[in-house]
Amino acid sequence: MACRVQKRVSLRRKLQILRVLTNSNSAKRISIAKSAVLRLYKLKLALETVKRQYENLLATRRECISLLNHVKENKDVKIEKVRTGTFRVRVTCEKGGDKLVAVLEAFDKMCLNVEQARVSCENGFSMEAIAVAEDQTLNVRDITKVLLKAIGKQSGEKDCSDL
């Protein structure tokens, strides 16, 4: 008999806890159980919604990272003719590789002597130089083309003439 009373007290305690958790005002066991099942169902739906939103955010993140990886950094080569045979060269591009070596090799191929240069690798590669041409027939367009080709090869791009 005492065992039965303990079970009944235990059941009432559990029903009271369940009623508090489900915000149920009913005293009936069936009503409390229905409220608990309804509450669990709502929580399950909320959890599925959160999972779906999380998966959407991950997909968006992957897409953004993919787009950022495919966006090419600006490669900028500006050349000003200071006087006959003397050029002011400004090169800016993304970090990585031996950009300085490639630019200096390009200068060497074009027979340009660098009189003064300033190089920075803080927010990407940038270089300002004053170069004097041994050959007076060099023009700005030729130098620009060769320098763009040099920094393009260093960043892993294929040259069109190599194909």
Side-chain angles (χ1 to χ4, degrees):
M1 183 85 168
C3 186
R4 223 180 208 185
V5 172
Q6 286 177 346
K7 285 182 180 179
R8 192 177 294 155
V9 170
S10 174
L11 182 62
R12 284 186 185 153
R13 234 185 260 136
K14 289 176 184 175
L15 283 173
Q16 178 61 29
I17 292 170
L18 202 54
R19 187 171 39 202
V20 169
L21 289 175
T22 59
N23 295 327
S24 177
N25 295 329
S26 177
K28 296 180 182 178
R29 276 191 250 169
I30 297 290
S31 183
I32 295 172
K34 285 181 180 178
S35 296
V37 169
L38 182 64
R39 176 84 169 155
L40 288 174
Y41 182 72
K42 287 180 180 177
L43 288 174
K44 181 182 173 188
L45 289 177
L47 181 63
E48 288 173 357
T49 303
V50 169
K51 281 183 182 178
R52 205 169 30 252
Q53 288 174 349
Y54 178 70
E55 289 171 0
N56 288 341
L57 286 174
L58 286 178
T60 304
R61 179 177 173 254
R62 279 191 301 269
E63 185 178 330
C64 287
I65 289 173
S66 165
L67 288 174
L68 286 175
N69 288 338
H70 287 92
V71 171
K72 293 183 180 177
E73 295 285 328
N74 289 337
K75 294 178 194 162
D76 193 22
V77 175
K78 293 182 183 175
I79 299 175
E80 300 173 21
K81 193 170 191 174
V82 179
R83 55 184 176 269
T84 307
T86 305
F87 301 95
R88 176 174 288 133
V89 180
R90 290 189 179 124
V91 178
T92 56
C93 59
E94 71 276 0
K95 278 186 181 181
D98 296 328
K99 304 280 196 237
L100 180 60
V101 174
V103 170
L104 292 177
E105 285 175 353
F107 283 161
D108 192 40
K109 285 179 186 175
M110 293 183 292
C111 298
L112 284 172
N113 296 322
V114 178
E115 285 187 351
Q116 182 180 357
R118 184 173 40 181
V119 179
S120 172
C121 292
E122 193 170 322
N123 294 328
F125 174 80
S126 63
M127 174 183 166
E128 276 189 44
I130 296 176
V132 178
E134 292 175 8
D135 182 13
Q136 300 296 323
T137 61
L138 274 176
N139 63 11
V140 173
R141 194 176 308 146
D142 294 336
I143 298 171
T144 304
K145 191 184 302 182
V146 170
L147 288 177
L148 281 172
K149 185 177 176 183
I151 62 176
K153 280 186 178 177
Q154 287 300 315
S155 64
E157 294 177 3
K158 292 188 176 182
D159 188 14
C160 293
S161 63
D162 292 342
L163 297 175

